[in-house]
Amino acid sequence: MSIRENWEIFQDDLEAASKKYGRSVSDITVMAVSKTRSVDEILAAGEAGLALFGENRVEEASEKFSVLDSESYPLYLIGHLQSNKVSRIGARFAGVHSVDSMKIAKRLSAHRKEGKLPLEILLQVNTSGEESKSGFTDFNSFVEEAQEIAELPYLQLRGLMTMAPFVDDERVVRDCFAECREWSERISRLIEGGLILSMGMSSDYPWAVAEGSTMIRIGTSIFGARE
Ligand SMILES: *Cc1c(COP(=O)(O)O)cnc(C)c1O
C-alpha cells in the first residue's frame, strides 16, 4: 500500500482510538518517524500531509533532511544523542525530543548560538525501568534538574517523551505512560507554550492516547515495516 493510503487508514484508526478514550483527535499531533526511509518516502509522507518528522540518528537525519526544506519538513531527533555529537545538531534541527541528561541539555544550550531559533526540547524519562532505554529515572532529582534545564538559554522546554516496553500487557504499558504524565504535572510551571507529551508508537499509541499523549511517533503504520 502507498504511504498516502497507509496514512488515511491510520487517521481513521487514530480517530477511533481518540473517541474510545474520550480524547479529541485535534489534541494529538502525529510525528512521522522516518528512520531508515529514503528521501523519496519522506517526500511522499509530506505530500500526504505529514508535517513533523522524527529521526533517531544524527548523521542519517542530517544527510537526508539537508535536501528537504525545513518549513515543510521540520526535523526532530528522537534517539539517544551522544555528547560528542551535540555539535552536529545544527540549525536544520527544530528540536531534540530525546534529551536524557543534564549534560546533554547544557551542551545543546551552549552549542545553539544566538540568532537562531531556540531548540525545542523534550526530556526523555525512562518509566519502564529497562536498562536498554535512556532517560531520566530518578523522580526526586528530576524536578530540580528540569528547573535548571528550563533556565538554560536557547532551549525551549516543551514537555516530556517516554517509551513503554514492547509488551502486550495493557496495564504495564499504560502505567508507563501514566507515570510520564504524572512527572509532567510536577514540572508544568516550567513548560513554555502548550505541554507536549510524546508517548506512543505504531504498536501502543491507543494506550498512550488513553493516558493523555499529545504527540505520537509513528513509523511502521505510515511507511510499512522496516527491514
Ligand atoms: C522507531 C521509533 C518510533 C516509531 O516506531 P514504529 O513502531 O515504527 O511506529 C517511535 N519512537 C522512537 C523513539 C523510535 O525510535
Side-chain angles (χ1 to χ4, degrees):
M1 250 188 302
S2 73
I3 288 169
R4 184 178 293 277
E5 286 168 313
N6 286 342
W7 174 229
E8 274 161 18
I9 292 167
F10 183 80
Q11 284 174 291
D12 289 344
D13 292 350
L14 173 59
E15 175 98 48
S18 304
K19 219 174 234 156
K20 176 173 176 187
Y21 295 112
R23 299 284 314 279
S24 164
V25 77
S26 60
D27 292 337
I28 300 156
T29 303
V30 179
M31 171 181 279
V33 177
S34 53
K35 63 188 184 205
T36 78
R37 314 299 175 172
S38 67
V39 170
D40 283 345
E41 288 173 291
I42 298 169
L43 278 168
E47 280 155 17
L50 274 305
L52 296 180
F53 295 84
E55 287 274 343
N56 61 356
R57 297 172 60 103
V58 185
E59 295 87 349
E60 180 187 340
S62 306
E63 199 180 307
K64 291 191 302 193
F65 281 76
S66 66
V67 299
L68 296 163
D69 86 274
S70 27
E71 251 174 62
S72 310
Y73 295 85
L75 169 62
Y76 297 81
L77 188 74
I78 58 169
H80 174 66
L81 177 61
Q82 286 169 275
S83 52
N84 63 354
K85 292 192 181 156
V86 165
S87 62
R88 302 204 188 185
I89 301 294
R92 186 62 186 82
F93 285 83
V96 174
H97 283 183
S98 48
V99 174
D100 53 14
S101 70
M102 175 65 81
K103 180 178 166 190
I104 290 291
K106 284 185 172 160
R107 289 200 180 190
L108 282 169
S109 172
H111 177 68
R112 195 81 170 180
K113 301 252 164 47
E114 275 184 79
K116 281 185 199 158
L117 285 174
L119 187 71
E120 175 180 300
I121 62 163
L122 301 184
L123 303 180
Q124 184 174 354
V125 300
N126 179 346
T127 49
S128 70
E130 292 171 296
E131 275 185 29
S132 58
K133 297 207 163 83
S134 38
F136 292 86
T137 50
D138 181 354
F139 184 71
N140 295 317
S141 56
F142 176 70
V143 177
E144 252 175 57
E145 288 180 301
Q147 165 96 45
E148 202 177 320
I149 291 169
E151 286 165 6
L152 293 170
Y154 313 120
L155 302 183
Q156 186 185 29
L157 176 60
R158 292 293 307 275
L160 303 184
M161 186 273 249
T162 200
M163 290 174 81
F166 299 107
V167 296
D168 275 340
D169 189 328
E170 176 171 359
R171 198 64 269 149
V172 170
V173 172
R174 286 185 62 162
D175 280 353
C176 284
F177 294 141
E179 194 177 326
C180 183
R181 191 193 59 227
E182 283 160 27
W183 284 41
S184 77
E185 284 160 6
R186 295 286 302 275
I187 62 154
S188 58
R189 72 197 158 79
L190 303 173
I191 306 294
E192 298 177 59
L195 171 75
I196 299 175
L197 272 182
S198 175
M199 317 195 290
M201 322 193 344
S202 295
S203 56
D204 60 13
Y205 81 85
W207 292 336
V209 164
E211 296 298 343
S213 174
T214 69
M215 183 176 285
I216 55 180
R217 306 179 309 271
I218 306 298
T220 307
S221 296
I222 294 170
F223 294 102
R226 279 182 296 276
E227 313 233 307

